[in-house]
Amino acid sequence: MKRLRELLNHSGDNYIMPFFWLHGESHDILEEELDKIQACGIREVCLESRPHPDFMGPQWWSDLDFIIDQAKKRDMRVWVLDDDKFPTGHANGAYVTYLDKKKIYLAKRHMDLLGPQEDGAVLIENFLGDDGQLLAALVCPRPDGNKLDLTLENIMDVTESYRDGMIYFDIPEGFSRLVILYTTRKNGGREDYINLIDSESVKVLIDEVYERHYKRYKDEFGKSFAGFFSDEPELGNVPGYGFDELIGSKDRHLPWSQELFDLLQEEWKEDNYKNLVGLWYGLGQATGAIRKTYMDQVTYLVDRCFGGQIGQWCRDHHVEYIGHVIEDDNAHTRLGCSVGHYFRGQKGQDMAGVDLVHLQLIPGFKEKYHQWIASDRDGEFFHFGLAKLGASLARLDPKKKGRSLCEIFGSYGWAEGVGLMKWLTDHMLIRGINHFVPHAFSPLFPDRDCPPHFYGRGNNPQYTYFMQLMGHMNRMAHLLNGGYMDSGVGVLYHAEAEWSGGDYEPYQKILRLLAENQMDATVIPMDYLVDELVSFERGKFLINGLEYRALIIPYAQYIPDELINFVSQAYKWDIPLYVTGGHPQSTIKGMELGEDWYRQVQVFEGDFSKLSSGQIEVLSKEEDLRAGLYHQPDGQIYMFFNEHPFKDISTQVRLKAVKSRELYRYDSITNQLEKGNVRGDLLNLVLAPGQMAVYVCVEPLAEILQDISRGSHQGSRQDISQDIHQGIPQEISAYGLSSLVHLQGDWKISIQEAGLGYEFEELTYIKSQDIFPSINRMEGMTRFSGTIRYESHIPWTQSLCDYKGKRCFLELPGVSDGASVKINGLDVGSILSAPYHIEVTGLIKQGMNTITIDVVNTLTWRIHDGQSTHTQLKPTGMIKRPLIKVYQLTEEVK
């Protein structure tokens, strides 16, 4: 496998572009921070302009000049966040000048009426406020006084009677409601901000930020200047971060523009204003179709005016456009702080982006209710739905070239250790995310803005472990990029079902069922199931050249009318089609489904064998085991991840591709291979909580063995391992435990405060009968942050020195974060996360051996930052005695 050989020869591309906070620091400090970024093997940075004091001013250009010059010297690339404020759309304050280009809203006020009354009047001037522009005044019948619903029948347009703040009209008999529709630039969301659905408004951002950067750096565009990053642009029709801003919500201002008006006018003709009433009130059968039409046109315009326009500008200027929108708690289908439709909102970008910050995802919290910084839900969405948005769009859209991006780690607080970071990384990797924006490097310390900060001006005790995590992240991303994930089950995106106002099930419910049965899927919006983008072959349909063997439609009371045509065509090609939870009631426009639908579409009853590709078959029920299969042109990559926070997984897995190839386990932390413990096509899989295992299935690895013999694997432990195991060792699960040695001796404990210039100081001694303490619970240690060193001596007999056919591991069962080990002064390596063991084969000699174990905690103990208040902290240091396990290669493997 070409990419595997590149990794083993210590080459490969860059897939990491961390945020680099800028506050106007001296260039010496910026250079030092770039040194620390580069030391992590990272070759790109994304400049966070938000905290800079002089964005687009002289100091900004001076700092950016310096950083780009440094990037050229270091063979690095630079991305720029595209605004002075968060979220993207402030245009560096330009909308204060371009008043006619800033955000505008569609607003509604109402007045209940009781008639009949001839020559009635209503004062509406105060409804409109200082800047309101009247669109329509409509008298709508109320058929039921116990409900807010209105009716389309007999709506009276009395707009023409407006004079001097008054509406004059004959009030009809019975209850009715006067609905005043008007536009305003006030009392919505961020008022001095971009209008995402207005082309000219978006052009202000391009002119004020993008063009000015191009003017200064055009010779570096496409070279050291990689592109721009938009951060959480929003429709922003309401203030704040309400994630449930559904169309139909009461008394909300709504997104508006002349372009939107024109599209709705073309669609609705003379019913345009009447239908707008249905955006707030039920209008009977027509309600769902009205709301879908509005949301369709809004979200199409988000693409055309915003993402599409900026993305095309970037490509025309030889750079790329990346970023993400707000997906939180299912907001990706809604108004307010998001853009109404994830796939349309991201269509114009060159990678498919998602965001993982603020403790949204915590191991084990996979149910509906899960408290994080901004909400108390939706753990199920974050576990099963978030990553698949990005991975799915990267697969569907040719422009993305298979690239999906995650902004990750940010604002988890200083309590976020490298163990959790690795868990989050692996969670994303196994779901198809292959580019990362770690959040963040900051040259300011302490910086209250969204910690953790990875170097922290030398104060982060976990920085060296973070460096190794970045190596894992980059190597895994290199191994996966250029291939495609086996995601051959399609699950329909639920946007239209939600907009319609009926009952529905979000797509992540289906993804959860599949994931818990070790199957992956692609979330497919209706946009990609139309004739020009989809094609059919017997038993499958294809989008962007990739195959899907079935489509699952999450339960929806009303389905998009366009889906009927796809179902009809797919059925003719013998493609399995399923609904969950029962058949829909009708289409959104009210069309009955008909007999053909019930013949063509089955209700899914939980038979996952009908959906499986047969590539991976787990022989026991393992709900917390995630499985992924990547296809490269010259081999397959299997990934398995135990997502449970506490339980081990031990099972057997049948792998179809292994029958004709060889299987090797790849350790992306140490960049080493082992022979997979496989009999025929049956893999013995053993995973600790939070552990990921990666297997490559390739032709016999003669070339890789030659690479190893030429010295591509460096380091004393690896060399010893090669001597014993003759090239590539057998996976440890092929060995049986032959002896176990508890390290019962005395231990000296020393501490080193986090920060530059501190030395180790002796703390205490632990006698053989003593219990190891949690360090931060000790008297006087509650604010300690840094490294805890454990030193002892190991007596080793001659019989234990016979390593032939054996492997020896040091186990650290009482460690919960980063640790590193030395044996007799030799650096053995580091442990980032479970399993907390490290190979020491051949390193322990006959007689007395010195062992040193360094364990780090996090800065939350010193800083007590606000973000960390939502984190369940683990004991610090090493709270159980370590032990050594010696394994003997089993007879059947020999």
Side-chain angles (χ1 to χ4, degrees), residues 490-628:
V491 176
L492 185 66
Y493 188 51
H494 67 258
E496 292 90 346
E498 181 177 84
W499 299 343
S500 73
D503 292 334
Y504 71 95
E505 186 174 58
Y507 71 90
Q508 63 261 24
K509 294 282 188 183
I510 312 306
L511 294 186
R512 177 175 188 168
L513 291 174
L514 294 170
E516 291 179 343
N517 286 273
Q518 291 76 52
M519 279 181 277
D520 196 57
T522 300
V523 185
I524 305 179
M526 193 64 238
D527 297 2
Y528 287 88
L529 297 178
V530 296
D531 291 343
E532 58 267 29
L533 294 179
V534 67
S535 60
F536 298 91
E537 294 180 7
R538 189 63 56 194
K540 59 189 176 185
F541 63 96
L542 295 88
I543 304 172
N544 191 25
L546 297 176
E547 300 177 357
Y548 300 91
R549 56 187 174 269
L551 179 71
I552 302 177
I553 303 164
Y555 174 73
Q557 188 174 354
Y558 308 112
I559 58 170
D561 291 67
E562 303 91 331
L563 186 59
I564 300 295
N565 180 58
F566 172 83
V567 165
S568 178
Q569 293 185 72
Y571 180 76
K572 293 175 184 177
W573 290 93
D574 299 326
I575 297 167
L577 302 163
Y578 300 97
V579 292
T580 60
H583 286 284
Q585 179 178 314
S586 69
T587 72
I588 292 174
K589 292 183 179 178
M591 183 175 72
E592 294 184 0
L593 301 181
E595 293 181 2
D596 285 348
W597 172 276
Y598 296 101
R599 185 179 72 256
Q600 296 162 350
V601 182
Q602 305 172 53
V603 175
F604 183 64
E605 300 291 351
D607 186 355
F608 292 96
S609 64
K610 294 181 178 180
L611 301 174
S612 175
S613 66
Q615 296 286 342
I616 298 174
E617 181 187 357
V618 181
L619 301 190
S620 60
K621 182 66 175 175
E622 304 289 350
E623 287 189 356
D624 293 294
L625 176 62
R626 305 290 166 256

Side-chain angles (χ1 to χ4, degrees), residues 456-502:
R457 300 291 298 139
N459 290 279
N460 187 354
Q462 300 211 353
Y463 169 69
T464 58
Y465 299 92
F466 177 81
M467 293 171 64
Q468 295 176 67
L469 177 62
M470 293 299 96
H472 160 71
M473 182 183 279
N474 241 343
R475 284 189 282 270
M476 281 303 303
H478 184 74
L479 188 64
L480 301 179
N481 272 272
Y484 66 92
M485 198 165 186
D486 186 49
S487 300
V489 175
V491 176
L492 185 66
Y493 188 51
H494 67 258
E496 292 90 346
E498 181 177 84
W499 299 343
S500 73

Side-chain angles (χ1 to χ4, degrees), residues 291-312:
R291 293 176 181 177
K292 176 184 179 296
T293 297
Y294 173 83
M295 290 296 296
D296 269 339
Q297 301 302 348
V298 166
T299 52
Y300 284 139
L301 284 173
V302 169
D303 170 36
R304 188 175 84 188
C305 301
F306 182 73
Q309 185 179 186
I310 294 177
Q312 192 58 53

Side-chain angles (χ1 to χ4, degrees), residues 82-120:
D82 61 357
D83 217 334
D84 68 321
K85 282 190 176 183
F86 168 87
T88 286
H90 189 242
N92 199 31
Y95 294 104
V96 175
T97 303
Y98 296 94
L99 296 178
D100 60 331
K101 300 294 193 300
K102 70 177 185 177
K103 196 185 304 293
I104 191 170
Y105 314 103
L106 172 65
K108 178 271 308 176
R109 297 293 295 271
H110 65 269
M111 166 69 182
D112 282 345
L113 308 168
L114 180 60
Q117 178 181 331
E118 294 184 3
D119 201 19

